[in-house]
Amino acid sequence: MASVPVSHLILFIASLVIAAGVVGTITTGVDRVSAAVDDAGLDATEQLRTDVTIISDASAGVYNASGDQNVTLLIKNTGTYRLAPDGSDLDVVFDGAYVRPNAISGELVSVDGANAWSRGDVLRLTINTNQIDGDSGLADGDHRVFLSVNGDEELFQFRVEGGN
C-alpha cells in the first residue's frame, strides 16, 4: 500500500522536472525572438529616419569639373538620422558596377569640422571614375549613379557629351 504513494511521488517529481525543462526551453526561445524583434525595430527606425537627396543638377556638369575625370555629386541629408561625415555609410553603384569604398571620397561642405552628417548638411561626394573604367574616362552617353544608405535609395542620371 505504501508503494502507491511512492510511485505517485516519483511521477510527480518527474513531471515537475520535465515541466521545468520545457519552461526553460520556451523561455530561451521567447528571449531570442524578443531580441530579434528589438533588433528589427532598431533597423526599421534607422531606415525610417534615413533620407538623402541628390541636389546636383545633371546639366551643370557633374563629370570632369575639376579635370580629374571624377563625378562630383552634392547630396543633402534630409532625414533625421546622422550619417558618417565622409560618406562612408553610402553604397554606390555606378553604371551597374559596385564602387569600392576606396574609389569614393566625401566632404561636408555646409559645415566645418562636423563629426556627423546631420539633417540639412550637404556632402560633396567624389567618385573616381578612373578606378571604375580605367584611365580613359567616361564614354559619351548616359550614365547612372545609384546610392543606397540604410534602405533609402536615390538614382541620379547624367549625360556625358563629347569634349569632356
Side-chain angles (χ1 to χ4, degrees):
M1 197 69 136
S3 65
V4 172
V6 170
S7 65
H8 285 310
L9 183 61
I10 291 172
L11 288 174
F12 178 71
I13 291 172
S15 64
L16 285 178
V17 169
I18 291 171
V22 169
V23 167
T25 302
I26 290 174
T27 302
T28 302
V30 167
D31 288 343
R32 287 182 182 168
V33 169
S34 176
V37 168
D38 288 343
D39 289 345
L42 291 175
D43 289 345
T45 299
E46 282 182 12
Q47 287 179 354
L48 290 173
R49 292 178 52 204
T50 302
D51 189 29
V52 296
T53 303
I54 300 173
I55 59 174
S56 292
D57 183 4
S59 62
V62 297
Y63 174 65
N64 205 20
S66 64
D68 296 330
Q69 298 178 344
N70 292 333
V71 173
T72 304
L73 301 176
L74 296 176
I75 306 166
K76 185 173 187 176
N77 185 350
T78 53
T80 58
Y81 192 73
R82 295 166 51 110
L83 300 167
D86 60 355
S88 59
D89 291 334
L90 295 170
D91 289 322
V92 180
V93 177
F94 187 85
D95 286 344
Y98 177 74
V99 179
R100 294 183 315 272
N102 64 345
I104 63 171
S105 63
E107 175 189 7
L108 287 176
V109 294
S110 59
V111 291
D112 290 328
N115 294 331
W117 180 16
S118 301
R119 180 183 184 105
D121 294 341
V122 176
L123 177 84
R124 180 185 298 124
L125 182 72
T126 303
I127 303 169
N128 185 345
T129 60
N130 291 330
Q131 292 189 15
I132 301 169
D133 285 343
D135 293 334
S136 62
L138 292 181
D140 290 349
D142 295 329
H143 298 277
R144 299 165 50 120
V145 178
F146 178 78
L147 301 175
S148 176
V149 57
N150 288 344
D152 182 48
E153 300 171 344
E154 291 291 317
L155 177 65
F156 183 77
Q157 299 179 28
F158 65 99
R159 182 168 187 75
V160 172
E161 302 202 5
N164 281 333

